[in-house]
Amino acid sequence: MATEGLTCPECGSSNIVDDQLYSQPQLVCEDCGSVISEGLLTTTASEEVQGTDIAYRYTTAVDKQPCRNLIKGLQRLRAFCRILRLKTDTEQMSETFYKQAYSHPHFINVSLQKKEVLVGCCVLVSCRLCNWPIGMGTICSLLEADPNLLGVVYLQMMKTLKIEAPNTAIIEMLEAHCQEYKLRPEHVSEGLSEDVKALTKRATALIELAADTWIVTGRQPVPMMIACTFLAWQSLRPTKDRLKYSVDKFCQMAKVNRNQTAPKRVMELKKVLSKLGQEIPWLRVEVTLANVMPHVDDIMENQSALLRRAMRTYEESLQDEDQPDPQEDPPGEHATLASPEGAAPCQTSRDPEHPPPAQPCLAACEPDGERAQAPSDAGPTTGTDVQQEDDDEPLDHADARPLLVPVETWSKKYLFVPPCVRHPKKRKRRAETPMPEVTGDEDISDSEIDMYIRTPQEVRDFVKTKEILSEEEEEEEEQ
């Protein structure tokens, strides 16, 4: 302790020394022995000789252990990634999002159900960032959670972590996709040019039809948009010049990159359109793949009614196959459609020679809840099953490849089913283990005989039990 410049207040001497009394420093005058100052409990940082106060969290070298719910959530997340067969990068991204969201104040004091749903949300956003086709329906089925709760947690997580996932709605991307086609009069001739708004409207209607008939399920969006744009361009003005164009030639003319899968999607859409065109009652010609384009307007106008009629006709054909020799044809259910201009009101009838009396035209068939169900009501399925690009395989069930599956499947019972059901992957048939032939004349070994012989203890227990039962019977008879 510094003593320079200090004087004793008693004698005025400057002979002052620092006297260390145990742990308490004192300033004492050597001449008179008076204590100038004592009990100085506060010092400067440079004079501090004792240890300073340190918080407990800085004195321990042990890291904070994760809680049980976080460990279980990470285990469930890894299990989901294994089920969906995600890549390692996607799985690591999901774990990172889950740890960040779990430790955030918005998800600490929430219910356990929301924390379980948070696992699916992290997997979903990682799949969308990695361009992996997984939808909310798949996550809901795996979690067995409420879709509304999943949507709320998903939006909250995106806002909390400030994640911008790409929008995968194909209809919203279609408008921007149609803008890329050079089909204006300054680019092509007048007979081949088309308005972008009309092209987008027709292509959107075809996309919706493809979604209703399961063509979009599990498919990449770009080939699907090219096919719908091409068919929309042909159907708006089905002239000879347009009908002779192929998909590749159309993309070359519109200065758009060609796609190898687009012709397959075109054929699938044409087959669906031809099936619906065959249900138009006022047509006298059979609608095929070659002449379906001029009838697309009528098909789009009566899309819902024609879908129900096509499925009803297919169900009736299956019933006819089960009953090859019916005595009477089942009475047809009459339904009217919106006929084009110049065509008389037509009724649905199975006998063209004796049509029923005319009725006012309606825009849709009569409601039929049982028969108008979509194929999705038949059983569980997901709209995101990844389907490998098949070779030129027909969609008709009669031309499908023989599969090692039962006859009563979706591909047989319903007209429109997902591609993964229509063309499932072939599975190897397991070799059946031959059943042992037992005739009753086989030799019995001594060990097998010993299995049926009672031990002495079993004999005693049996006799004792029999005596007890007999005594109880006698008591009941006496009563």
Side-chain angles (χ1 to χ4, degrees):
M1 189 176 296
T3 60
E4 296 179 0
L6 296 177
T7 59
C8 179
E10 298 294 334
C11 63
S13 175
S14 61
N15 191 8
I16 298 174
V17 295
D18 187 4
D19 184 16
Q20 296 287 341
L21 178 62
Y22 299 103
S23 62
Q24 184 177 4
Q26 294 178 348
L27 295 178
V28 181
C29 178
E30 288 186 349
D31 295 339
C32 64
S34 62
V35 178
I36 299 175
S37 63
E38 63 178 346
L40 298 178
L41 302 179
T42 58
T43 58
T44 61
S46 61
E47 297 174 350
E48 185 67 45
V49 295
Q50 302 294 332
T52 58
D53 294 337
I54 301 175
Y56 176 77
R57 62 178 180 273
Y58 296 118
T59 61
T60 57
V62 180
D63 296 334
K64 183 180 178 181
Q65 297 293 333
C67 63
R68 294 182 179 179
N69 292 334
L70 178 60
I71 296 175
K72 291 182 180 179
L74 291 174
Q75 293 176 352
R76 190 179 296 109
L77 186 143
R78 296 188 187 101
F80 280 179
C81 294
R82 299 296 189 277
I83 293 172
L84 299 173
R85 297 181 181 181
L86 302 179
K87 297 181 181 179
T88 307
D89 298 340
T90 308
E91 181 178 350
Q92 293 177 355
M93 186 185 299
S94 303
E95 291 183 7
T96 303
F97 287 150
Y98 183 72
K99 292 178 181 178
Q100 293 176 358
Y102 192 91
S103 60
H104 199 273
H106 291 172
F107 294 98
I108 290 180
N109 299 323
V110 297
S111 61
L112 184 60
Q113 186 180 7
K114 284 189 176 181
K115 291 182 180 180
E116 293 177 353
V117 172
L118 182 62
V119 174
C121 295
C122 295
V123 175
L124 178 61
V125 70
S126 301
C127 292
R128 290 188 173 181
L129 290 174
C130 296
N131 196 21
W132 190 255
I134 298 297
M136 282 192 175
T138 304
I139 301 298
C140 288
S141 61
L142 290 176
L143 288 173
E144 296 182 356
D146 184 13
N148 297 328
L149 179 62
L150 181 67
V152 171
V153 176
Y154 177 78
L155 294 177
Q156 186 177 4
M157 185 200 68
M158 296 275 289
K159 184 179 180 180
T160 301
L161 301 182
K162 298 180 180 179
I163 303 173
E164 295 182 359
N167 194 354
T168 56
I170 188 172
I171 295 180
E172 296 181 2
M173 293 189 299
L174 187 61
E175 182 176 359
H177 179 78
C178 293
Q179 296 287 343
E180 300 178 359
Y181 290 83
K182 307 297 182 181
L183 298 176
R184 297 181 179 84
E186 57 267 20
H187 299 115
V188 295
S189 61
E190 185 179 356
L192 303 177
S193 63
E194 193 60 56
D195 184 26
V196 178
K197 294 183 179 180
L199 188 69
T200 304
K201 184 178 179 181
R202 176 58 58 84
T204 302
L206 291 173
I207 283 283
E208 293 175 352
L209 175 62
D212 292 340
T213 54
W214 300 93
I215 299 178
V216 183
T217 305
R219 298 290 175 72
Q220 293 294 334
V222 175
M224 200 71 240
M225 290 188 295
I226 293 176
C228 292
T229 307
F230 169 69
L231 293 179
W233 175 75
Q234 281 191 337
S235 62
L236 287 173
R237 281 192 289 174
T239 59
K240 293 182 179 180
D241 295 338
R242 293 193 180 190
L243 294 178
K244 68 180 181 181
Y245 270 76
S246 61
V247 183
D248 295 339
K249 191 176 179 181
F250 169 74
C251 294
Q252 185 178 2
M253 176 194 65
K255 298 180 181 180
V256 178
N257 294 332
R258 293 181 293 179
N259 190 282
Q260 297 179 355
T261 317
K264 297 179 182 179
R265 305 289 90 84
V266 170
M267 291 301 299
E268 292 175 356
L269 270 172
K270 276 190 173 183
K271 288 176 181 178
V272 171
L273 291 172
S274 63
K275 289 177 183 178
L276 299 183
Q278 292 173 4
E279 300 298 329
I280 300 177
W282 56 78
L283 295 181
R284 301 300 180 184
V285 295
E286 182 180 1
V287 179
T288 60
L289 298 177
N291 61 355
V292 69
M293 285 295 105
H295 308 292
V296 173
D297 291 335
D298 297 337
I299 295 173
M300 292 293 101
E301 185 178 357
N302 305 282
Q303 174 181 341
S304 301
L306 294 177
L307 280 172
R308 290 196 293 267
R309 287 169 56 87
M311 289 187 288
R312 185 180 297 115
T313 303
Y314 184 75
E315 291 177 1
E316 291 176 356
S317 65
L318 291 180
Q319 293 177 1
D320 294 341
E321 291 179 1
D322 296 338
Q323 300 175 359
D325 296 328
Q327 295 180 357
E328 295 181 0
D329 294 335
E333 298 181 2
H334 303 296
T336 57
L337 299 167
S339 58
E341 297 182 359
C346 296
Q347 293 284 336
T348 303
S349 176
R350 301 298 177 188
D351 189 2
E353 297 181 0
H354 302 284
Q359 295 180 0
C361 292
L362 302 175
C365 290
E366 72 281 354
D368 191 351
E370 297 180 358
R371 290 181 175 266
Q373 290 179 353
S376 58
D377 298 334
T381 184
T382 58
T384 56
D385 297 331
V386 179
Q387 174 72 13
Q388 295 182 354
E389 299 300 339
D390 45 48
D391 295 331
D392 295 333
E393 295 178 353
L395 290 181
D396 296 338
H397 67 92
D399 299 331
R401 295 179 177 177
L403 302 174
L404 302 179
V405 293
V407 178
E408 293 296 331
T409 57
W410 286 11
S411 59
K412 302 294 181 182
K413 293 176 61 176
Y414 296 95
L415 181 61
F416 305 112
V417 293
C420 59
V421 179
R422 179 71 69 188
H423 304 292
K425 295 180 180 179
K426 292 186 178 180
R427 299 179 180 178
K428 294 182 180 180
R429 178 178 294 175
R430 297 180 179 178
E432 298 180 358
T433 56
M435 298 296 295
E437 297 181 1
V438 180
T439 59
D441 299 333
E442 291 79 13
D443 296 335
I444 302 176
S445 61
D446 295 339
S447 61
E448 293 178 349
I449 295 176
D450 294 339
M451 293 173 58
Y452 299 99
I453 297 177
R454 293 174 180 170
T455 62
Q457 181 64 32
E458 292 177 348
V459 173
R460 289 192 293 269
D461 294 341
F462 177 74
V463 174
K464 186 177 180 180
T465 305
K466 190 174 182 181
E467 291 176 357
I468 295 173
L469 293 175
S470 61
E471 291 178 358
E472 291 179 356
E473 291 178 358
E474 291 177 357
E475 293 177 358
E476 292 178 357
E477 290 178 357
E478 291 176 359
Q479 294 177 358

